[in-house]
Amino acid sequence: AGQNSAKNAPSMSSTLPKQLVTTSEADKDPAADEVGGVQKLEAELGEVKKYNSKLSKQVENMKSKLDEAFEAAERFQNVQSKVVQLSERSRFEKELRARAEGGLRISNKKVEALSDHIEKLMLHLKHEATSKARAFEEKAKANRECELLRARNSAILKKNNGR
């Protein structure tokens, strides 16, 4: 499986950056080619490994940044949903407060009307109590006058009967 992937992979010189690939026409000597070619391939392999390591670090760095971005996006969505919830709660509480204030105004009007009515009733009771007290005084006075007149009448009757 490893050899099949090596066959399908692009050549090393095509994946390297342009500055790493350094082949020239003078390097094609057949005698020096074998020894120099191995050293050259080893050097190229080292460069490719360094470059691969650098790319791996970049990939890991990008993955961590991507994870951070996803976490930030998730936090943003959470905050956004909380903002929506708070605005809904605020709207609901405003409606409740408006209803409560309307009910309070109505209740205050009723209390004021009842207070006025109670004041009128208290004034009426005061006048009735005064009238009743006057009526009792007048009744007592009338009873005394009546007794006095009866006593005079009986005295006059005795006087007349005695004559």
Side-chain angles (χ1 to χ4, degrees):
Q3 288 182 351
N4 285 341
S5 63
K7 287 180 184 177
N8 294 335
S11 69
M12 282 194 260
S13 60
S14 67
T15 59
L16 288 176
K18 297 287 184 196
Q19 69 267 25
L20 292 180
V21 179
T22 56
T23 56
S24 68
E25 295 296 324
D27 289 338
K28 297 205 176 182
D29 181 22
D33 195 22
E34 208 173 290
V35 174
V38 170
Q39 289 175 348
K40 190 178 192 182
L41 286 176
E42 285 177 354
E44 193 176 321
L45 183 62
E47 291 295 319
V48 168
K49 284 183 180 180
K50 286 180 188 177
Y51 187 68
N52 193 17
S53 172
K54 179 182 172 184
L55 289 177
S56 293
K57 287 179 184 177
Q58 285 179 349
V59 166
E60 289 301 317
N61 189 18
M62 295 285 193
K63 282 183 181 178
S64 67
K65 286 182 180 180
L66 183 62
D67 288 342
E68 289 173 6
F70 280 137
E71 289 173 4
E74 187 175 334
R75 285 192 304 268
F76 178 76
Q77 286 177 345
N78 289 340
V79 168
Q80 200 172 23
S81 67
K82 286 181 183 179
V83 165
V84 168
Q85 288 174 349
L86 288 175
S87 66
E88 288 176 5
R89 185 185 308 163
S90 174
R91 181 185 51 80
F92 180 71
E93 288 176 357
K94 282 180 184 178
E95 288 176 5
L96 285 179
R97 187 174 61 209
R99 282 189 218 148
E101 287 174 353
L104 181 64
R105 269 188 247 111
I106 291 170
S107 296
N108 285 341
K109 286 180 182 179
K110 287 180 180 179
V111 166
E112 188 176 332
L114 287 173
S115 295
D116 290 343
H117 188 65
I118 288 171
E119 286 179 24
K120 289 176 185 176
L121 287 175
M122 293 298 287
L123 184 63
H124 181 69
L125 284 174
K126 180 180 173 185
H127 289 295
E128 273 194 30
T130 305
S131 297
K132 190 175 183 180
R134 236 183 263 137
F136 275 128
E137 287 177 12
E138 288 178 11
K139 181 182 174 190
K141 186 177 177 184
N143 282 340
R144 282 192 302 263
E145 277 185 38
C146 196
E147 286 299 318
L148 181 66
L149 289 174
R150 281 189 189 140
R152 276 192 207 163
N153 192 19
S154 66
I156 292 174
L157 277 177
K158 282 184 185 176
K159 199 177 185 186
N160 282 341
N161 283 342
R163 288 188 192 169

